[in-house]
Coordinates of all heavy atoms in Angstrom, one line a residue:
M1443 N 14.2 35.1 -75.9 CA 13.4 35.0 -74.7 C 12.8 36.3 -74.3 O 13.3 37.4 -74.5 CB 14.4 34.6 -73.6 CG 15.1 33.3 -73.8 SD 14.1 31.8 -73.8 CE 13.7 31.6 -72.1
L1444 N 11.5 36.2 -73.8 CA 10.8 37.4 -73.4 C 10.4 37.3 -71.9 O 10.1 36.2 -71.4 CB 9.5 37.5 -74.2 CG 9.7 37.8 -75.7 CD1 8.3 37.8 -76.4 CD2 10.4 39.1 -75.9
E1445 N 10.4 38.4 -71.3 CA 9.9 38.5 -69.9 C 8.5 39.0 -69.9 O 8.1 39.9 -70.6 CB 10.8 39.5 -69.2 CG 10.5 39.7 -67.7 CD 11.6 40.6 -67.1 OE1 12.1 41.5 -67.7 OE2 11.8 40.4 -65.9
V1446 N 7.7 38.3 -69.1 CA 6.3 38.7 -68.9 C 6.2 39.6 -67.7 O 6.7 39.3 -66.6 CB 5.3 37.5 -68.8 CG1 3.9 38.0 -68.6 CG2 5.4 36.6 -70.0
L1447 N 5.6 40.8 -67.9 CA 5.5 41.8 -66.8 C 4.1 42.0 -66.4 O 3.2 42.0 -67.3 CB 6.1 43.1 -67.2 CG 7.5 43.1 -67.6 CD1 7.9 44.5 -68.3 CD2 8.4 42.8 -66.5
V1448 N 3.8 42.1 -65.1 CA 2.5 42.5 -64.6 C 2.6 43.9 -64.0 O 3.6 44.2 -63.4 CB 2.0 41.5 -63.5 CG1 2.9 41.4 -62.3 CG2 0.6 41.8 -63.1
F1449 N 1.6 44.7 -64.2 CA 1.6 46.1 -63.8 C 0.5 46.3 -62.7 O -0.6 45.8 -62.7 CB 1.3 47.0 -65.0 CG 2.4 46.9 -66.0 CD1 2.3 46.0 -67.0 CD2 3.4 47.8 -66.0 CE1 3.3 45.9 -68.0 CE2 4.5 47.7 -66.9 CZ 4.4 46.8 -67.9
N1450 N 0.9 47.1 -61.7 CA 0.0 47.5 -60.6 C -1.1 48.4 -61.1 O -0.9 49.2 -62.1 CB 0.8 48.2 -59.5 CG -0.1 48.5 -58.3 OD1 -0.6 47.6 -57.7 ND2 -0.2 49.8 -58.0
D1451 N -2.2 48.3 -60.5 CA -3.3 49.2 -60.7 C -4.0 49.4 -59.4 O -3.8 48.6 -58.4 CB -4.3 48.8 -61.8 CG -5.1 47.6 -61.5 OD1 -5.9 47.6 -60.6 OD2 -4.8 46.5 -62.2
D1452 N -4.8 50.4 -59.2 CA -5.5 50.7 -58.0 C -6.9 50.0 -57.8 O -7.6 50.4 -56.9 CB -5.6 52.2 -57.7 CG -4.2 52.8 -57.6 OD1 -3.3 52.2 -57.1 OD2 -4.1 54.0 -58.0
V1453 N -7.2 49.2 -58.8 CA -8.6 48.6 -58.8 C -8.6 47.1 -58.6 O -9.4 46.6 -57.8 CB -9.3 49.0 -60.2 CG1 -10.6 48.4 -60.2 CG2 -9.3 50.5 -60.4
T1454 N -7.7 46.4 -59.3 CA -7.7 44.9 -59.2 C -7.3 44.4 -57.8 O -6.3 44.8 -57.3 CB -6.7 44.3 -60.2 OG1 -7.0 44.9 -61.5 CG2 -6.8 42.8 -60.3
P1455 N -8.2 43.6 -57.2 CA -7.9 43.0 -55.9 C -6.6 42.2 -55.9 O -6.3 41.5 -56.8 CB -9.1 42.1 -55.6 CG -10.1 42.6 -56.5 CD -9.5 43.1 -57.7
M1456 N -5.8 42.4 -54.8 CA -4.5 41.6 -54.7 C -4.8 40.1 -54.8 O -4.0 39.4 -55.4 CB -3.8 42.0 -53.4 CG -3.3 43.4 -53.4 SD -2.6 43.8 -51.8 CE -2.0 45.4 -52.0
D1457 N -5.8 39.6 -54.2 CA -6.1 38.2 -54.2 C -6.3 37.7 -55.7 O -5.9 36.6 -56.0 CB -7.3 37.8 -53.4 CG -7.1 37.9 -51.9 OD1 -5.9 37.8 -51.5 OD2 -8.0 38.0 -51.1
F1458 N -6.9 38.5 -56.5 CA -7.1 38.2 -57.9 C -5.8 38.0 -58.6 O -5.6 37.1 -59.4 CB -8.0 39.2 -58.6 CG -8.3 38.8 -60.0 CD1 -9.3 37.9 -60.4 CD2 -7.5 39.4 -61.0 CE1 -9.5 37.5 -61.7 CE2 -7.8 39.0 -62.4 CZ -8.7 38.1 -62.7
V1459 N -4.9 39.0 -58.4 CA -3.6 39.0 -59.0 C -2.9 37.7 -58.6 O -2.3 37.0 -59.5 CB -2.8 40.2 -58.6 CG1 -1.4 40.1 -59.2 CG2 -3.5 41.5 -59.1
V1460 N -2.9 37.4 -57.3 CA -2.2 36.2 -56.8 C -2.8 34.9 -57.5 O -2.1 34.0 -58.0 CB -2.3 36.1 -55.3 CG1 -1.9 34.7 -54.8 CG2 -1.5 37.2 -54.6
N1461 N -4.1 34.9 -57.6 CA -4.8 33.8 -58.3 C -4.4 33.6 -59.7 O -4.1 32.5 -60.2 CB -6.3 33.9 -58.1 CG -7.1 32.7 -58.6 OD1 -7.5 32.6 -59.7 ND2 -7.2 31.8 -57.7
V1462 N -4.3 34.7 -60.5 CA -3.9 34.6 -61.9 C -2.4 34.1 -62.0 O -2.1 33.3 -62.8 CB -4.0 36.0 -62.6 CG1 -3.4 36.0 -63.9 CG2 -5.5 36.3 -62.7
L1463 N -1.6 34.6 -61.1 CA -0.2 34.2 -61.1 C -0.1 32.7 -60.8 O 0.8 32.0 -61.4 CB 0.6 35.0 -60.1 CG 0.8 36.5 -60.5 CD1 1.4 37.3 -59.3 CD2 1.7 36.6 -61.7
E1464 N -0.9 32.2 -59.9 CA -0.9 30.8 -59.6 C -1.5 29.9 -60.8 O -0.8 29.0 -61.2 CB -1.7 30.5 -58.4 CG -1.1 31.0 -57.1 CD -2.0 30.8 -55.9 OE1 -3.3 31.1 -56.0 OE2 -1.5 30.5 -54.8
R1465 N -2.6 30.3 -61.3 CA -3.3 29.5 -62.3 C -2.7 29.6 -63.7 O -2.5 28.6 -64.3 CB -4.8 30.0 -62.4 CG -5.6 29.5 -61.3 CD -7.1 29.9 -61.4 NE -7.6 30.3 -62.7 CZ -8.2 31.5 -62.9 NH1 -8.5 32.3 -62.0 NH2 -8.6 31.8 -64.1
V1466 N -2.3 30.8 -64.1 CA -1.8 31.0 -65.5 C -0.3 30.7 -65.5 O 0.2 30.0 -66.5 CB -2.1 32.4 -66.0 CG1 -1.5 32.6 -67.4 CG2 -3.6 32.6 -66.1
F1467 N 0.4 31.2 -64.6 CA 1.9 31.1 -64.6 C 2.4 29.9 -63.8 O 3.7 29.7 -63.8 CB 2.5 32.4 -64.1 CG 2.2 33.6 -65.1 CD1 1.1 34.4 -64.9 CD2 3.1 33.8 -66.2 CE1 0.9 35.4 -65.8 CE2 2.8 34.8 -67.0 CZ 1.7 35.7 -66.8
G1468 N 1.6 29.2 -63.1 CA 2.0 28.1 -62.3 C 2.9 28.4 -61.1 O 3.7 27.6 -60.6
K1469 N 2.7 29.6 -60.6 CA 3.5 30.0 -59.4 C 3.0 29.4 -58.1 O 1.7 29.2 -58.0 CB 3.5 31.6 -59.3 CG 4.1 32.3 -60.5 CD 5.5 32.0 -60.8 CE 6.1 32.8 -61.9 NZ 7.4 32.3 -62.3
S1470 N 3.8 29.2 -57.2 CA 3.4 28.8 -55.9 C 2.7 30.0 -55.2 O 2.9 31.1 -55.6 CB 4.5 28.3 -55.0 OG 5.4 29.4 -54.7
R1471 N 2.0 29.7 -54.2 CA 1.3 30.8 -53.4 C 2.3 31.9 -53.0 O 2.1 33.1 -53.2 CB 0.5 30.3 -52.3 CG -0.3 31.3 -51.5 CD -1.7 31.2 -52.0 NE -2.5 32.2 -51.2 CZ -3.4 32.9 -51.8 NH1 -3.7 32.8 -53.1 NH2 -4.2 33.7 -51.1
D1472 N 3.4 31.4 -52.4 CA 4.4 32.3 -51.9 C 5.1 33.1 -53.0 O 5.3 34.3 -52.9 CB 5.5 31.6 -51.1 CG 5.1 31.1 -49.8 OD1 4.0 31.5 -49.3 OD2 5.7 30.2 -49.2
E1473 N 5.4 32.5 -54.2 CA 5.9 33.2 -55.3 C 4.9 34.2 -55.8 O 5.3 35.3 -56.2 CB 6.3 32.2 -56.5 CG 7.4 31.3 -56.2 CD 7.6 30.3 -57.4 OE1 6.6 29.6 -57.7 OE2 8.7 30.2 -57.9
A1474 N 3.7 33.8 -55.9 CA 2.7 34.7 -56.5 C 2.5 36.0 -55.6 O 2.4 37.1 -56.1 CB 1.3 34.0 -56.6
I1475 N 2.5 35.7 -54.3 CA 2.4 36.9 -53.4 C 3.6 37.8 -53.5 O 3.4 39.0 -53.5 CB 2.2 36.4 -51.9 CG1 0.8 35.7 -51.7 CG2 2.4 37.5 -50.9 CD1 0.6 35.0 -50.4
K1476 N 4.7 37.2 -53.6 CA 6.0 38.1 -53.7 C 5.9 38.9 -55.0 O 6.2 40.1 -55.0 CB 7.2 37.1 -53.8 CG 8.5 37.9 -53.9 CD 9.7 36.9 -53.9 CE 11.0 37.7 -54.1 NZ 12.1 36.9 -54.2
I1477 N 5.5 38.3 -56.1 CA 5.4 39.0 -57.4 C 4.3 40.1 -57.3 O 4.5 41.3 -57.7 CB 5.1 38.1 -58.6 CG1 6.3 37.1 -58.8 CG2 4.7 38.8 -59.8 CD1 5.9 36.0 -59.7
M1478 N 3.2 39.8 -56.7 CA 2.1 40.8 -56.6 C 2.5 42.0 -55.7 O 2.3 43.1 -56.1 CB 0.9 40.1 -55.9 CG -0.3 41.0 -55.6 SD -0.2 41.9 -54.1 CE -0.2 40.5 -52.9
L1479 N 3.2 41.7 -54.6 CA 3.7 42.8 -53.7 C 4.8 43.6 -54.4 O 4.8 44.8 -54.3 CB 4.2 42.2 -52.4 CG 3.2 41.7 -51.5 CD1 3.8 41.0 -50.3 CD2 2.2 42.8 -51.0
E1480 N 5.6 43.0 -55.2 CA 6.6 43.8 -56.0 C 5.9 44.7 -56.9 O 6.3 45.9 -57.1 CB 7.6 42.8 -56.7 CG 8.7 43.6 -57.4 CD 9.7 42.7 -58.1 OE1 9.8 41.5 -57.8 OE2 10.3 43.2 -59.1
A1481 N 4.9 44.2 -57.7 CA 4.2 45.1 -58.6 C 3.5 46.2 -57.8 O 3.4 47.3 -58.3 CB 3.2 44.2 -59.4
H1482 N 2.9 45.8 -56.7 CA 2.2 46.8 -55.9 C 3.1 47.9 -55.4 O 2.7 49.1 -55.5 CB 1.5 46.1 -54.7 CG 0.8 47.0 -53.8 ND1 -0.4 47.6 -54.1 CD2 1.1 47.5 -52.5 CE1 -0.8 48.4 -53.1 NE2 0.0 48.3 -52.1
H1483 N 4.3 47.6 -55.0 CA 5.2 48.6 -54.5 C 6.0 49.3 -55.5 O 6.3 50.5 -55.4 CB 6.2 48.0 -53.5 CG 5.5 47.5 -52.2 ND1 4.9 48.4 -51.3 CD2 5.3 46.3 -51.7 CE1 4.4 47.7 -50.3 NE2 4.6 46.4 -50.5
D1484 N 6.4 48.6 -56.6 CA 7.3 49.1 -57.6 C 6.6 49.5 -58.9 O 7.2 50.0 -59.8 CB 8.4 48.2 -57.9 CG 9.3 47.9 -56.7 OD1 9.3 48.7 -55.8 OD2 10.0 46.8 -56.7
G1485 N 5.3 49.2 -59.0 CA 4.6 49.5 -60.3 C 4.5 48.4 -61.3 O 3.6 48.4 -62.1
Q1486 N 5.5 47.5 -61.2 CA 5.5 46.4 -62.1 C 6.4 45.3 -61.5 O 7.2 45.6 -60.7 CB 6.0 46.8 -63.5 CG 7.5 47.1 -63.6 CD 7.9 47.5 -65.0 OE1 7.2 48.1 -65.7 NE2 9.1 47.1 -65.3
A1487 N 6.2 44.1 -62.0 CA 7.0 43.0 -61.6 C 7.1 41.9 -62.7 O 6.2 41.8 -63.5 CB 6.5 42.3 -60.3
S1488 N 8.2 41.1 -62.6 CA 8.4 40.1 -63.6 C 7.6 38.8 -63.2 O 7.7 38.4 -62.0 CB 9.9 39.8 -63.8 OG 10.0 38.7 -64.6
C1489 N 6.9 38.3 -64.1 CA 6.2 37.0 -63.9 C 7.1 35.8 -64.3 O 6.8 34.7 -64.0 CB 4.9 36.9 -64.7 SG 3.7 38.2 -64.3
G1490 N 8.2 36.1 -65.0 CA 9.2 35.1 -65.5 C 9.6 35.4 -66.9 O 9.1 36.3 -67.6
V1491 N 10.6 34.6 -67.3 CA 11.2 34.7 -68.6 C 10.9 33.4 -69.3 O 11.2 32.3 -68.8 CB 12.7 35.0 -68.6 CG1 13.3 34.9 -69.9 CG2 13.0 36.3 -67.9
Y1492 N 10.4 33.5 -70.5 CA 9.9 32.3 -71.3 C 10.3 32.5 -72.8 O 10.6 33.6 -73.2 CB 8.4 32.2 -71.2 CG 7.9 32.2 -69.8 CD1 7.5 33.4 -69.2 CD2 7.8 31.1 -69.0 CE1 7.0 33.4 -67.9 CE2 7.3 31.1 -67.7 CZ 6.9 32.3 -67.2 OH 6.4 32.3 -65.9
A1493 N 10.3 31.4 -73.5 CA 10.4 31.4 -74.9 C 9.3 32.3 -75.5 O 8.2 32.4 -74.9 CB 10.3 30.0 -75.5
E1494 N 9.6 33.0 -76.6 CA 8.7 34.0 -77.1 C 7.3 33.6 -77.2 O 6.4 34.3 -76.7 CB 9.2 34.5 -78.5 CG 8.4 35.6 -79.0 CD 8.9 36.2 -80.3 OE1 10.0 35.9 -80.7 OE2 8.2 37.0 -80.9
T1495 N 7.0 32.5 -77.9 CA 5.6 32.0 -78.1 C 4.9 31.7 -76.8 O 3.8 32.1 -76.6 CB 5.6 30.8 -79.0 OG1 6.2 31.1 -80.2 CG2 4.2 30.3 -79.3
H1496 N 5.6 31.1 -75.9 CA 5.0 30.8 -74.6 C 4.8 32.0 -73.8 O 3.7 32.2 -73.1 CB 6.0 29.8 -73.8 CG 5.4 29.2 -72.6 ND1 4.2 28.6 -72.6 CD2 5.8 29.2 -71.3 CE1 3.9 28.2 -71.3 NE2 4.9 28.5 -70.6
A1497 N 5.7 33.0 -73.8 CA 5.5 34.2 -73.1 C 4.3 35.0 -73.6 O 3.5 35.5 -72.8 CB 6.8 35.1 -73.2
R1498 N 4.2 35.1 -74.9 CA 3.0 35.8 -75.5 C 1.7 35.1 -75.1 O 0.7 35.7 -74.8 CB 3.2 35.9 -77.0 CG 4.3 36.9 -77.3 CD 4.3 37.1 -78.8 NE 5.5 37.9 -79.2 CZ 5.8 39.1 -79.0 NH1 4.9 39.9 -78.4 NH2 6.9 39.7 -79.4
D1499 N 1.7 33.7 -75.1 CA 0.5 32.9 -74.8 C 0.1 33.2 -73.3 O -1.0 33.4 -73.0 CB 0.8 31.5 -75.0 CG -0.4 30.6 -74.7 OD1 -1.5 30.8 -75.2 OD2 -0.3 29.7 -73.8
L1500 N 1.1 33.1 -72.4 CA 0.8 33.4 -71.0 C 0.3 34.8 -70.7 O -0.7 34.9 -70.0 CB 2.1 33.1 -70.1 CG 2.6 31.7 -70.0 CD1 4.0 31.7 -69.4 CD2 1.6 30.9 -69.2
A1501 N 0.9 35.8 -71.3 CA 0.4 37.1 -71.2 C -1.0 37.3 -71.7 O -1.9 37.9 -71.1 CB 1.3 38.1 -71.9
S1502 N -1.3 36.7 -72.8 CA -2.6 36.7 -73.4 C -3.6 36.0 -72.5 O -4.7 36.6 -72.3 CB -2.6 36.1 -74.8 OG -3.9 36.0 -75.3
R1503 N -3.3 34.9 -72.0 CA -4.2 34.1 -71.1 C -4.5 34.9 -69.9 O -5.6 35.0 -69.4 CB -3.6 32.8 -70.8 CG -3.7 31.8 -72.0 CD -3.0 30.5 -71.7 NE -3.3 29.9 -70.4 CZ -2.5 29.1 -69.8 NH1 -1.4 28.7 -70.3 NH2 -2.9 28.6 -68.6
A1504 N -3.5 35.6 -69.3 CA -3.6 36.4 -68.1 C -4.5 37.6 -68.4 O -5.4 37.9 -67.6 CB -2.3 36.8 -67.6
K1505 N -4.3 38.2 -69.5 CA -5.2 39.4 -69.9 C -6.6 39.0 -70.0 O -7.5 39.7 -69.6 CB -4.7 40.0 -71.2 CG -3.4 40.7 -71.1 CD -3.0 41.2 -72.5 CE -1.6 41.8 -72.5 NZ -1.1 42.2 -73.8
V1506 N -6.9 37.8 -70.6 CA -8.2 37.3 -70.8 C -8.9 37.1 -69.5 O -10.0 37.4 -69.2 CB -8.3 36.1 -71.7 CG1 -9.6 35.4 -71.7 CG2 -7.9 36.4 -73.1
C1507 N -8.1 36.5 -68.5 CA -8.7 36.2 -67.2 C -9.1 37.5 -66.5 O -10.2 37.6 -66.0 CB -7.6 35.6 -66.3 SG -7.3 33.8 -66.7
A1508 N -8.3 38.6 -66.6 CA -8.6 39.9 -66.1 C -9.8 40.5 -66.7 O -10.7 41.0 -66.0 CB -7.4 40.8 -66.1
E1509 N -9.8 40.5 -68.0 CA -10.9 41.0 -68.8 C -12.2 40.4 -68.4 O -13.3 41.0 -68.2 CB -10.7 41.0 -70.3 CG -9.6 41.9 -70.8 CD -9.2 41.7 -72.2 OE1 -9.7 40.7 -72.9 OE2 -8.3 42.4 -72.7
Q1510 N -12.2 39.0 -68.4 CA -13.5 38.3 -68.1 C -14.0 38.6 -66.7 O -15.2 38.5 -66.4 CB -13.2 36.8 -68.2 CG -13.1 36.4 -69.7 CD -12.8 34.9 -69.9 OE1 -12.4 34.2 -68.9 NE2 -13.0 34.4 -71.1
A1511 N -13.0 38.9 -65.8 CA -13.4 39.2 -64.4 C -13.7 40.7 -64.2 O -14.1 41.2 -63.1 CB -12.3 38.8 -63.4
G1512 N -13.5 41.5 -65.3 CA -13.8 42.9 -65.2 C -12.8 43.7 -64.5 O -13.1 44.8 -64.0
H1513 N -11.5 43.2 -64.5 CA -10.4 44.0 -63.9 C -9.5 44.6 -64.9 O -9.3 44.0 -66.0 CB -9.6 43.0 -63.0 CG -10.4 42.5 -61.8 ND1 -11.0 43.3 -60.9 CD2 -10.7 41.2 -61.5 CE1 -11.7 42.5 -60.0 NE2 -11.5 41.3 -60.4
P1514 N -8.9 45.7 -64.6 CA -8.0 46.4 -65.6 C -6.6 45.9 -65.5 O -5.7 46.5 -66.1 CB -8.1 47.9 -65.2 CG -8.3 47.8 -63.7 CD -9.2 46.6 -63.5
L1515 N -6.3 44.8 -64.9 CA -5.0 44.2 -64.7 C -4.3 44.1 -66.1 O -4.9 43.5 -67.0 CB -5.0 42.9 -64.0 CG -3.7 42.2 -63.6 CD1 -2.9 43.1 -62.6 CD2 -4.0 40.8 -63.0
K1516 N -3.1 44.6 -66.2 CA -2.3 44.6 -67.4 C -1.1 43.7 -67.3 O -0.4 43.7 -66.3 CB -1.9 46.0 -67.8 CG -3.1 47.0 -68.0 CD -3.9 46.6 -69.2 CE -5.0 47.6 -69.4 NZ -6.1 47.1 -70.1
F1517 N -0.8 43.1 -68.5 CA 0.4 42.3 -68.6 C 1.0 42.7 -69.9 O 0.3 43.1 -70.9 CB 0.1 40.8 -68.7 CG -0.4 40.2 -67.4 CD1 -1.8 40.3 -67.0 CD2 0.5 39.6 -66.5 CE1 -2.2 39.8 -65.9 CE2 0.0 39.1 -65.3 CZ -1.4 39.2 -65.0
S1518 N 2.4 42.6 -70.0 CA 3.0 42.8 -71.3 C 4.3 41.9 -71.4 O 4.7 41.3 -70.4 CB 3.4 44.3 -71.4 OG 4.5 44.6 -70.6
V1519 N 4.8 41.9 -72.6 CA 6.1 41.1 -72.8 C 7.2 42.1 -73.2 O 6.9 43.1 -73.9 CB 5.9 40.0 -73.8 CG1 5.0 38.9 -73.3 CG2 5.4 40.5 -75.1
A1520 N 8.4 41.8 -72.8 CA 9.5 42.6 -73.2 C 10.7 41.7 -73.4 O 10.8 40.7 -72.8 CB 9.8 43.7 -72.1
K1521 N 11.6 42.2 -74.2 CA 12.9 41.4 -74.4 C 13.5 41.3 -73.0 O 13.7 42.2 -72.3 CB 13.8 42.2 -75.3 CG 15.0 41.4 -75.7 CD 15.9 42.0 -76.7 CE 17.1 41.2 -77.0 NZ 17.9 41.8 -78.1
A1522 N 13.9 40.0 -72.7 CA 14.5 39.7 -71.4 C 15.9 40.3 -71.4 O 16.7 40.2 -72.4 CB 14.6 38.2 -71.2
T1523 N 16.3 40.9 -70.3 CA 17.6 41.4 -70.2 C 18.5 40.5 -69.4 O 18.0 39.9 -68.4 CB 17.6 42.8 -69.5 OG1 17.0 42.7 -68.2 CG2 16.9 43.9 -70.3
P1524 N 19.7 40.2 -69.8 CA 20.6 39.3 -69.1 C 20.8 39.8 -67.7 O 21.0 41.0 -67.4 CB 21.9 39.3 -69.8 CG 21.6 40.0 -71.2 CD 20.4 40.8 -71.0
S1525 N 20.7 38.9 -66.7 CA 20.9 39.2 -65.3 C 22.4 39.0 -65.0 O 23.1 38.2 -65.5 CB 20.0 38.4 -64.4 OG 20.3 37.1 -64.5
G1526 N 22.8 39.7 -63.9 CA 24.2 39.5 -63.4 C 25.0 40.6 -63.9 O 26.1 40.9 -63.8

């Protein structure tokens, strides 16, 4: 399992980040805002934990959305750490 991370930057509009989280990751508006604010305050936030292929696909799709819109928004995948 891999965790998809979104990273804060000082250029990408917050509304755009929320929109990508909703469209690509299927997050509700409230979930997307929470994730965006966490990234904004902490520098990064988890978009969720997914099977490896799905995680890589989601991160890639999100990166393409940002690139096409001309934003430097970054996503990456990392080995998920057990919680608790």
Side-chain angles (χ1 to χ4, degrees):
M1443 299 295 282
L1444 294 178
E1445 183 173 30
V1446 180
L1447 301 170
V1448 59
F1449 295 88
N1450 184 58
D1451 65 68
D1452 294 329
V1453 178
T1454 306
M1456 292 179 178
D1457 286 341
F1458 181 81
V1459 178
V1460 169
N1461 188 267
V1462 169
L1463 292 168
E1464 289 174 320
R1465 285 184 13 233
V1466 175
F1467 294 91
K1469 301 297 182 185
S1470 70
R1471 184 100 176 137
D1472 288 343
E1473 289 174 310
I1475 290 170
K1476 182 179 176 184
I1477 293 167
M1478 176 275 297
L1479 287 173
E1480 183 178 337
H1482 180 70
H1483 292 294
D1484 299 340
Q1486 70 181 35
S1488 176
C1489 300
V1491 176
Y1492 307 92
E1494 183 175 351
T1495 303
H1496 191 51
R1498 292 187 190 286
D1499 179 59
L1500 289 171
S1502 177
R1503 288 173 46 206
K1505 287 178 191 177
V1506 168
C1507 286
E1509 289 169 1
Q1510 288 178 341
H1513 297 301
L1515 186 62
K1516 300 291 181 206
F1517 292 84
S1518 72
V1519 294
K1521 185 175 180 178
T1523 56
S1525 60

